[in-house]
Amino acid sequence: MDIELQKERFEAFRNERMPVLHEFSQNLGFQNPHEILINPMAFLEPLSNWLSDQDISEESRNWIIVRIGYFIGELFAVKHDGCWSVCEAKSSRYYGHYVVGEFSSFSNPNALFAPMEVAFELANQPQGRSLSGIVAEIESALNGL
């Protein structure tokens, strides 16, 4: 993994997340779609219900992964006072990945995870997948670190 390239692309990645999430929530017909950025918890259940019903085709898989990954990352950044970054710890399994960490609400200062990987796992599950369930799993795992 080319860490320097990942770091170069990071700002564009971060800048893209807000308009992408806003448009996504708008397209899904959610009320007050801009609030997905400031109160993502209010969108967790409706988004989980929507995702559960989706038959994800090969063509739409990456589109969904990006949006769900951004959403999961923002949810944790807002709810647990964390932030996005590029993992530069060579010993980490997330080395070079875009991660969310530096949480103030978890006791371990090194707690972090890669939202896009979580979204990839979720998108590859069959219909009935649960965004709410995976968010609860991540919270439990981060609390246990």
Side-chain angles (χ1 to χ4, degrees):
M1 167 126 351
D2 184 343
I3 189 84
E4 293 308 317
L5 186 58
Q6 285 295 87
K7 286 164 48 176
E8 268 176 43
R9 293 177 175 164
F10 181 66
E11 201 55 37
F13 172 86
R14 270 181 22 97
N15 290 338
E16 180 183 70
R17 79 192 192 289
M18 291 190 170
V20 164
L21 280 174
H22 180 255
E23 181 186 20
F24 183 45
S25 64
Q26 225 171 6
N27 290 345
L28 293 179
F30 293 151
Q31 283 194 318
N32 303 316
H34 63 282
E35 288 188 10
I36 197 167
L37 307 168
I38 52 175
N39 185 16
M41 280 305 292
F43 292 78
L44 179 58
E45 285 309 316
L47 198 49
S48 189
N49 293 337
W50 174 83
L51 189 61
S52 176
D53 293 341
Q54 298 309 301
D55 181 15
I56 301 175
S57 68
E58 220 30 68
E59 298 79 47
S60 64
R61 189 170 316 275
N62 283 344
W63 185 87
I64 285 178
I65 289 169
V66 167
R67 281 143 187 85
I68 297 301
Y70 274 143
F71 176 77
I72 294 169
E74 282 306 297
L75 179 101
F76 276 84
V78 170
K79 184 176 180 189
H80 298 288
D81 190 31
C83 65
W84 287 91
S85 64
V86 179
C87 180
E88 295 186 56
K90 287 189 175 169
S91 60
S92 174
R93 70 183 203 145
Y94 298 123
Y95 177 71
H97 294 238
Y98 299 148
V99 296
V100 175
E102 298 178 39
F103 303 108
S104 65
S105 62
F106 295 115
S107 57
N108 184 336
N110 297 316
L112 57 82
F113 76 103
M116 292 299 171
E117 284 186 19
V118 173
F120 178 83
E121 286 177 34
L122 207 50
N124 285 300
Q125 292 175 5
Q127 278 179 291
R129 66 189 69 76
S130 175
L131 176 60
S132 300
I134 208 156
V135 164
E137 285 177 35
I138 296 165
E139 284 184 325
S140 176
L142 293 174
N143 267 320
L145 291 177

